Amino acid sequence: MRNLACECRIKVVQLVFVLTVRLLIINAFLSGLRNYLFLNSFQEVYTMKIAIVCYPTFGGSGVVATELGLELARRGHEIHFITYSQPVRLALLNPNVHYHEVNVPEYPLFHYQPYELALSSKLVDMVKLYKIELMHVHYAIPHAYAGYMAKQILKEEGIEIPMVTTLHGTDITLVGNHPYYKPAVTFSINKSDIVTSVSKSLRNETLKLFNITNDIEVIPNFIELNKNIDDSSIPCYRSVIAKENERVITHISNFRKVKRIPDVIKIFYEIQQQIPAKLMMVGDGPEKEKAERLCFDLGIHEKVIFFGNSNEIDRILSYSDLFLLPSETESFGLAALEAMALSVPVISSNSGGLPEVNFDGISGYLSEVGDIQDMAKNAIKILKDDATLNEFKSNALATAKQFDIQNILPIYEELYLRAISIYA
């Protein structure tokens, strides 16, 4: 009966999501049809020249922006990444993908070098040189602000270009809400032609914290499900990490305070007392050293492996049994979605956008922030036997499929066409 009830719940969730996505795509087609005709595109697909501005680091916003650009390039669009260093997941093998580095000259006069000015100037130069039709800036600070400056400079030269701003989380909830930045963030969002948010939770938080006059459209983060991983090597790699009877538990983050890294260690401490297990900590940041000391204090340092930053995220997740994400808040929870896409169930807090990704009792479990005992109890519930674990693994993958990039990309393409038509 329990299995039947669980199957019914996930089928209902899948049906609701699929219907929602189909409605969005139908609406995208109807509202975008006029734009296709107006733009004189009688081809099967109207290809666009798009500038993507993002942080090039391991953080979620940079990963999403990079994966979005690469997939757009595969569909024939010309994509220009403009940032201060090459994004970590950017492959330049596609002729439609271009990378332009923003150089910031150092002058003794400036205590802090003016990156926003350098970025604005670079955007202006690249738009004129490559005839770019649209700017998509990820993260409000400083990209939306720099994008607006570039728009105004181009306007003086008779070039009108739309700007789409995507809000990702800490640019709003942590940095953007600081009194020193709040007026600039509010201005930048309101001056964007189209604003998107990666979750309903983040949209609601933005509207609560800022005086926003623009509409904010929700387009969830996505995952590329059709990745090639060499399955034959997984047992070999796993045997290096853990014994056959040990469960592999993983956490991936930037090790900031908001991720509640000590909670990850303490949850694992409770788990390993009842189930043989190993913990893999992937990433780097200010809380890493404290986490390493805590492992020694609890006497579990031999059961915990700290990897640092890695480009082998998919391989690490492919031999994981459970993912821990007890964050104080998450605007979406991309790390959780990446885990679920590789059939790894998730134990997470119920904060921010996480309930929009991790479905309680289906793809994993949700708990109150800081409730270590409840998270540990739920983790043990999943890991206790192979049948239960395999059921949650299957459910996690089924949930992740709803966020496949092939479902989300058409929504972005329609949005871009709508933005371009503003100035056409």
Side-chain angles (χ1 to χ4, degrees), residues 369-386:
V369 174
D371 195 340
I372 292 167
Q373 293 301 321
D374 191 57
M375 292 185 192
K377 180 191 73 176
N378 288 332
I380 292 166
K381 198 185 301 183
I382 291 174
L383 296 171
K384 63 182 178 181
D385 61 72
D386 290 343

Side-chain angles (χ1 to χ4, degrees), residues 308-364:
N309 288 326
S310 173
N311 285 319
E312 296 289 321
I313 298 297
D314 292 337
R315 188 175 297 280
I316 293 169
L317 288 171
S318 67
Y319 49 76
S320 299
D321 296 305
L322 190 69
F323 189 81
L324 300 180
L325 196 64
S327 305
E328 189 80 30
T329 185
E330 290 281 348
S331 60
F332 179 81
L334 182 61
L337 180 57
E338 289 185 322
M340 289 156 56
L342 287 162
S343 302
V344 183
V346 175
I347 295 294
S348 75
S349 59
N350 59 4
S351 178
L354 281 168
E356 299 174 44
V357 183
N358 182 24
F359 300 147
D360 190 45
I362 298 174
S363 58

Side-chain angles (χ1 to χ4, degrees), residues 24 110 185 203 218 254 328 399 404 411 416:
L24 284 169
F110 297 122
V185 173
R203 179 188 62 186
V218 176
N254 53 21
E328 189 80 30
T399 304
D404 186 7
I411 304 172
Y416 291 156

Side-chain angles (χ1 to χ4, degrees), residues 184-407:
V185 173
T186 304
F187 178 85
S188 301
I189 293 173
N190 285 332
K191 289 299 181 180
S192 299
D193 294 290
I194 295 178
V195 183
T196 73
S197 165
V198 298
S199 68
K200 294 176 184 176
S201 170
L202 181 59
R203 179 188 62 186
N204 295 340
E205 190 75 6
T206 303
L207 294 174
K208 184 174 77 173
L209 294 174
F210 300 87
N211 182 23
I212 301 300
T213 57
N214 241 337
D215 290 333
I216 301 177
E217 304 181 32
V218 176
I219 302 180
N221 282 337
F222 48 80
I223 196 73
E224 184 185 355
L225 286 170
N226 298 323
K227 292 183 179 179
N228 295 319
I229 299 175
D230 183 7
D231 293 339
S232 63
S233 67
I234 291 174
C236 179
Y237 277 97
R238 193 187 189 285
S239 65
V240 174
I241 300 297
K243 297 175 183 176
E244 190 174 345
N245 69 323
E246 291 178 318
R247 302 296 195 195
V248 176
I249 300 165
T250 301
H251 171 80
I252 301 171
S253 77
N254 53 21
F255 282 65
R256 293 178 186 162
K257 201 164 187 176
V258 70
K259 302 298 180 180
R260 299 185 69 93
I261 302 301
D263 286 10
V264 176
I265 304 297
K266 292 172 185 176
I267 293 165
F268 174 73
Y269 177 76
E270 298 293 331
I271 295 170
Q272 57 86 39
Q273 287 187 313
Q274 297 194 38
I275 295 174
K278 287 285 179 67
L279 174 63
M280 296 190 291
M281 301 287 285
V282 184
D284 203 353
E287 295 290 301
K288 183 180 177 183
E289 189 176 335
K290 292 180 188 175
E292 290 173 327
R293 285 203 304 267
L294 181 57
C295 290
F296 273 93
D297 292 343
L298 294 174
I300 57 172
H301 57 278
E302 293 184 353
K303 298 181 180 181
V304 183
I305 302 171
F306 288 86
F307 284 85
N309 288 326
S310 173
N311 285 319
E312 296 289 321
I313 298 297
D314 292 337
R315 188 175 297 280
I316 293 169
L317 288 171
S318 67
Y319 49 76
S320 299
D321 296 305
L322 190 69
F323 189 81
L324 300 180
L325 196 64
S327 305
E328 189 80 30
T329 185
E330 290 281 348
S331 60
F332 179 81
L334 182 61
L337 180 57
E338 289 185 322
M340 289 156 56
L342 287 162
S343 302
V344 183
V346 175
I347 295 294
S348 75
S349 59
N350 59 4
S351 178
L354 281 168
E356 299 174 44
V357 183
N358 182 24
F359 300 147
D360 190 45
I362 298 174
S363 58
Y365 285 105
L366 300 166
S367 300
E368 294 292 328
V369 174
D371 195 340
I372 292 167
Q373 293 301 321
D374 191 57
M375 292 185 192
K377 180 191 73 176
N378 288 332
I380 292 166
K381 198 185 301 183
I382 291 174
L383 296 171
K384 63 182 178 181
D385 61 72
D386 290 343
T388 303
L389 176 59
N390 289 335
E391 180 184 330
F392 273 92
K393 279 178 171 283
S394 177
N395 291 348
L397 177 58
T399 304
K401 286 179 179 178
Q402 302 165 21
F403 297 90
D404 186 7
I405 192 170
Q406 300 307 322
N407 294 330

Side-chain angles (χ1 to χ4, degrees), residues 44-117:
E44 186 177 346
V45 176
Y46 176 80
T47 56
M48 294 169 272
K49 295 183 178 182
I50 303 164
I52 291 181
V53 183
C54 64
Y55 281 115
T57 56
F58 284 88
S61 66
V63 170
V64 167
T66 304
E67 296 292 350
L68 174 62
L70 292 176
E71 191 61 31
L72 286 165
R74 292 186 194 105
R75 290 170 73 99
H77 303 291
E78 186 179 310
I79 306 301
H80 296 262
F81 288 94
I82 302 176
T83 184
Y84 59 82
S85 66
Q86 184 172 325
V88 292
R89 294 197 184 184
L90 180 59
L92 296 172
L93 300 177
N94 189 315
N96 290 329
V97 175
H98 307 268
Y99 163 62
H100 311 290
E101 184 173 350
V102 179
N103 294 305
V104 185
E106 291 194 11
Y107 294 105
L109 176 65
F110 297 122
H111 185 65
Y112 299 106
Q113 303 307 314
Y115 176 68
E116 291 88 344
L117 295 180

Side-chain angles (χ1 to χ4, degrees), residues 120-138:
S120 298
S121 296
K122 190 72 173 184
L123 283 167
V124 169
D125 291 341
M126 295 303 100
V127 167
K128 291 161 63 177
L129 181 62
Y130 291 97
K131 294 181 171 52
I132 290 170
E133 300 167 271
L134 175 138
M135 294 186 294
H136 187 174
V137 300
H138 294 258

Side-chain angles (χ1 to χ4, degrees), residues 3-69:
N3 289 344
L4 181 60
C6 190
E7 287 176 11
C8 288
R9 286 178 67 193
I10 195 167
K11 286 184 184 299
V12 169
V13 170
Q14 287 176 321
L15 179 60
V16 170
F17 187 89
V18 168
L19 288 173
T20 301
V21 169
R22 286 181 178 174
L23 284 172
L24 284 169
I25 293 173
I26 290 169
N27 180 63
F29 173 77
L30 293 174
S31 61
L33 181 59
R34 177 177 58 83
N35 296 332
Y36 274 105
L37 296 174
F38 187 81
L39 291 165
N40 197 27
S41 174
F42 296 98
Q43 305 169 6
E44 186 177 346
V45 176
Y46 176 80
T47 56
M48 294 169 272
K49 295 183 178 182
I50 303 164
I52 291 181
V53 183
C54 64
Y55 281 115
T57 56
F58 284 88
S61 66
V63 170
V64 167
T66 304
E67 296 292 350
L68 174 62

